[in-house]
Amino acid sequence: MAQYAVLIYANDSAHAPEATAADTESCDQHADELVADDSMLMAYALTPRDMAMSLRADSTTEGPFLDSREIVAGFYVIEAPDLDAALAIAGTNPVLRQGGGVEVRPVHSGGVVKRARERQTA
């Protein structure tokens, strides 16, 4: 089955270090649903924009890499039989009802770290 990355765009991340269960409830419930459906392979929530640091060839700055209204608040990888099914799964993300958006992209390759570890133990 094909894998797709779902990037979550929002005004900021709900996953601040001091976030409560109520702050992340819709995200957690959505993740639980995708796990129960055997769709989600992995997920990462990112911290708020004010915790980001950006590097360029000649500088390091505070904040997200791109200065825009929305940031990447997190991402997850799903398995789906095709792009239409991946879009349907991503379309259930609660950020869509909260004014944000998602981007769905096929995963080209992966498992690099896992393969390197397997070679080391062989």
Side-chain angles (χ1 to χ4, degrees), residues 62-90:
E62 293 181 3
F65 191 77
L66 296 176
D67 185 21
S68 81
R69 192 172 68 103
E70 284 109 0
I71 61 163
V72 177
F75 62 95
Y76 52 97
V77 177
I78 59 173
E79 278 189 326
D82 55 38
L83 180 59
D84 288 337
L87 292 171
I89 293 166

Short mmCIF file of all heavy atoms in Angstrom, two decimals, residues 62-90:
data_model
loop_
_atom_site.label_atom_id
_atom_site.label_comp_id
_atom_site.label_asym_id
_atom_site.label_seq_id
_atom_site.Cartn_x
_atom_site.Cartn_y
_atom_site.Cartn_z
N GLU A 62 15.42 33.37 14.82
CA GLU A 62 14.32 32.83 15.61
C GLU A 62 13.07 32.81 14.76
O GLU A 62 12.83 33.73 13.97
CB GLU A 62 14.10 33.67 16.86
CG GLU A 62 15.24 33.59 17.83
CD GLU A 62 15.00 34.41 19.09
OE1 GLU A 62 13.91 35.00 19.22
OE2 GLU A 62 15.90 34.44 19.93
N GLY A 63 12.26 31.78 14.92
CA GLY A 63 10.99 31.70 14.22
C GLY A 63 11.02 30.68 13.10
O GLY A 63 12.05 30.11 12.78
N PRO A 64 9.86 30.46 12.47
CA PRO A 64 9.76 29.49 11.39
C PRO A 64 10.54 29.94 10.16
O PRO A 64 10.83 31.11 9.98
CB PRO A 64 8.26 29.41 11.10
CG PRO A 64 7.66 30.61 11.71
CD PRO A 64 8.58 31.09 12.78
N PHE A 65 10.87 28.99 9.31
CA PHE A 65 11.67 29.25 8.11
C PHE A 65 10.98 30.25 7.19
O PHE A 65 11.59 31.17 6.68
CB PHE A 65 11.93 27.94 7.37
CG PHE A 65 12.96 28.06 6.29
CD1 PHE A 65 14.30 28.11 6.59
CD2 PHE A 65 12.57 28.13 4.96
CE1 PHE A 65 15.26 28.21 5.60
CE2 PHE A 65 13.51 28.23 3.96
CZ PHE A 65 14.86 28.27 4.28
N LEU A 66 9.69 30.07 6.99
CA LEU A 66 8.91 30.99 6.16
C LEU A 66 8.05 31.87 7.06
O LEU A 66 7.42 31.38 7.98
CB LEU A 66 8.00 30.24 5.19
CG LEU A 66 8.72 29.39 4.15
CD1 LEU A 66 7.71 28.62 3.31
CD2 LEU A 66 9.59 30.25 3.26
N ASP A 67 8.03 33.14 6.77
CA ASP A 67 7.20 34.08 7.53
C ASP A 67 5.83 34.13 6.86
O ASP A 67 5.63 34.83 5.88
CB ASP A 67 7.86 35.46 7.55
CG ASP A 67 7.09 36.44 8.41
OD1 ASP A 67 6.33 36.00 9.29
OD2 ASP A 67 7.27 37.65 8.21
N SER A 68 4.91 33.33 7.38
CA SER A 68 3.57 33.30 6.81
C SER A 68 2.54 33.18 7.93
O SER A 68 2.89 32.91 9.07
CB SER A 68 3.42 32.15 5.81
OG SER A 68 3.16 30.95 6.46
N ARG A 69 1.30 33.38 7.58
CA ARG A 69 0.23 33.31 8.57
C ARG A 69 0.14 31.92 9.19
O ARG A 69 -0.03 31.77 10.39
CB ARG A 69 -1.10 33.69 7.91
CG ARG A 69 -2.23 33.94 8.86
CD ARG A 69 -3.44 34.50 8.13
NE ARG A 69 -4.02 33.52 7.24
CZ ARG A 69 -5.13 32.85 7.49
NH1 ARG A 69 -5.79 33.07 8.60
NH2 ARG A 69 -5.58 31.97 6.64
N GLU A 70 0.24 30.89 8.35
CA GLU A 70 0.18 29.52 8.84
C GLU A 70 1.57 28.90 8.87
O GLU A 70 2.44 29.28 8.10
CB GLU A 70 -0.73 28.65 7.96
CG GLU A 70 -2.19 28.90 8.17
CD GLU A 70 -2.81 29.62 7.00
OE1 GLU A 70 -2.09 29.91 6.04
OE2 GLU A 70 -4.01 29.90 7.05
N ILE A 71 1.73 27.96 9.79
CA ILE A 71 2.98 27.20 9.89
C ILE A 71 2.66 25.72 9.81
O ILE A 71 1.50 25.31 9.91
CB ILE A 71 3.70 27.49 11.23
CG1 ILE A 71 2.82 27.07 12.42
CG2 ILE A 71 4.12 28.94 11.33
CD1 ILE A 71 3.57 26.92 13.72
N VAL A 72 3.68 24.92 9.63
CA VAL A 72 3.50 23.47 9.73
C VAL A 72 3.43 23.16 11.22
O VAL A 72 4.39 23.36 11.95
CB VAL A 72 4.66 22.70 9.07
CG1 VAL A 72 4.47 21.20 9.26
CG2 VAL A 72 4.76 23.04 7.59
N ALA A 73 2.27 22.73 11.67
CA ALA A 73 2.05 22.46 13.09
C ALA A 73 2.34 21.00 13.43
O ALA A 73 2.49 20.66 14.60
CB ALA A 73 0.61 22.81 13.47
N GLY A 74 2.43 20.16 12.42
CA GLY A 74 2.72 18.76 12.64
C GLY A 74 2.56 18.00 11.33
O GLY A 74 2.21 18.57 10.30
N PHE A 75 2.84 16.72 11.39
CA PHE A 75 2.68 15.88 10.21
C PHE A 75 2.51 14.43 10.64
O PHE A 75 2.89 14.05 11.75
CB PHE A 75 3.88 16.02 9.26
CG PHE A 75 5.18 15.59 9.85
CD1 PHE A 75 5.67 14.31 9.65
CD2 PHE A 75 5.93 16.47 10.61
CE1 PHE A 75 6.88 13.91 10.20
CE2 PHE A 75 7.14 16.09 11.17
CZ PHE A 75 7.62 14.80 10.96
N TYR A 76 1.92 13.65 9.76
CA TYR A 76 1.81 12.22 10.00
C TYR A 76 1.89 11.49 8.68
O TYR A 76 1.76 12.09 7.61
CB TYR A 76 0.56 11.85 10.80
CG TYR A 76 -0.78 12.34 10.30
CD1 TYR A 76 -1.60 11.53 9.53
CD2 TYR A 76 -1.24 13.60 10.66
CE1 TYR A 76 -2.85 11.98 9.11
CE2 TYR A 76 -2.50 14.05 10.25
CZ TYR A 76 -3.29 13.23 9.47
OH TYR A 76 -4.52 13.66 9.06
N VAL A 77 2.18 10.21 8.75
CA VAL A 77 2.28 9.38 7.56
C VAL A 77 1.20 8.32 7.64
O VAL A 77 1.02 7.67 8.68
CB VAL A 77 3.68 8.72 7.45
CG1 VAL A 77 3.74 7.79 6.25
CG2 VAL A 77 4.76 9.79 7.36
N ILE A 78 0.47 8.19 6.55
CA ILE A 78 -0.61 7.21 6.47
C ILE A 78 -0.34 6.23 5.34
O ILE A 78 0.45 6.51 4.44
CB ILE A 78 -1.98 7.89 6.26
CG1 ILE A 78 -1.99 8.72 4.96
CG2 ILE A 78 -2.36 8.75 7.45
CD1 ILE A 78 -3.34 9.29 4.58
N GLU A 79 -1.02 5.11 5.40
CA GLU A 79 -1.06 4.17 4.29
C GLU A 79 -2.45 4.23 3.69
O GLU A 79 -3.44 4.29 4.42
CB GLU A 79 -0.77 2.74 4.76
CG GLU A 79 0.68 2.45 4.92
CD GLU A 79 0.95 0.98 5.16
OE1 GLU A 79 0.12 0.30 5.81
OE2 GLU A 79 1.99 0.52 4.70
N ALA A 80 -2.50 4.23 2.37
CA ALA A 80 -3.78 4.26 1.66
C ALA A 80 -3.59 3.58 0.31
O ALA A 80 -2.49 3.59 -0.24
CB ALA A 80 -4.26 5.70 1.48
N PRO A 81 -4.66 3.00 -0.22
CA PRO A 81 -4.52 2.30 -1.50
C PRO A 81 -4.20 3.22 -2.67
O PRO A 81 -3.59 2.79 -3.64
CB PRO A 81 -5.86 1.60 -1.69
CG PRO A 81 -6.79 2.19 -0.70
CD PRO A 81 -5.97 2.84 0.37
N ASP A 82 -4.62 4.49 -2.58
CA ASP A 82 -4.35 5.44 -3.67
C ASP A 82 -4.53 6.87 -3.15
O ASP A 82 -4.91 7.08 -1.99
CB ASP A 82 -5.27 5.18 -4.87
CG ASP A 82 -6.75 5.18 -4.52
OD1 ASP A 82 -7.18 6.02 -3.68
OD2 ASP A 82 -7.48 4.36 -5.07
N LEU A 83 -4.24 7.84 -4.00
CA LEU A 83 -4.30 9.24 -3.60
C LEU A 83 -5.71 9.65 -3.19
O LEU A 83 -5.88 10.39 -2.22
CB LEU A 83 -3.79 10.14 -4.74
CG LEU A 83 -3.81 11.64 -4.46
CD1 LEU A 83 -2.97 11.99 -3.23
CD2 LEU A 83 -3.33 12.41 -5.68
N ASP A 84 -6.72 9.18 -3.89
CA ASP A 84 -8.10 9.54 -3.52
C ASP A 84 -8.42 9.08 -2.10
O ASP A 84 -9.04 9.82 -1.33
CB ASP A 84 -9.11 8.95 -4.51
CG ASP A 84 -9.07 9.64 -5.87
OD1 ASP A 84 -8.62 10.82 -5.93
OD2 ASP A 84 -9.48 9.02 -6.86
N ALA A 85 -8.00 7.89 -1.75
CA ALA A 85 -8.24 7.39 -0.39
C ALA A 85 -7.44 8.20 0.62
O ALA A 85 -7.93 8.51 1.70
CB ALA A 85 -7.88 5.91 -0.30
N ALA A 86 -6.20 8.57 0.27
CA ALA A 86 -5.38 9.40 1.17
C ALA A 86 -6.03 10.76 1.38
O ALA A 86 -6.05 11.29 2.51
CB ALA A 86 -3.97 9.56 0.60
N LEU A 87 -6.58 11.35 0.33
CA LEU A 87 -7.26 12.64 0.46
C LEU A 87 -8.49 12.52 1.35
O LEU A 87 -8.79 13.42 2.15
CB LEU A 87 -7.64 13.19 -0.91
CG LEU A 87 -6.47 13.60 -1.80
CD1 LEU A 87 -6.97 13.92 -3.21
CD2 LEU A 87 -5.73 14.78 -1.20
N ALA A 88 -9.21 11.42 1.22
CA ALA A 88 -10.39 11.20 2.07
C ALA A 88 -9.99 11.08 3.54
O ALA A 88 -10.63 11.66 4.42
CB ALA A 88 -11.15 9.96 1.61
N ILE A 89 -8.90 10.37 3.81
CA ILE A 89 -8.42 10.24 5.19
C ILE A 89 -7.98 11.60 5.72
O ILE A 89 -8.36 12.01 6.81
CB ILE A 89 -7.27 9.22 5.26
CG1 ILE A 89 -7.79 7.81 4.94
CG2 ILE A 89 -6.59 9.26 6.63
CD1 ILE A 89 -6.70 6.79 4.67
N ALA A 90 -7.17 12.31 4.94
CA ALA A 90 -6.67 13.63 5.36
C ALA A 90 -7.81 14.62 5.55
O ALA A 90 -7.74 15.52 6.38
CB ALA A 90 -5.66 14.16 4.36
#
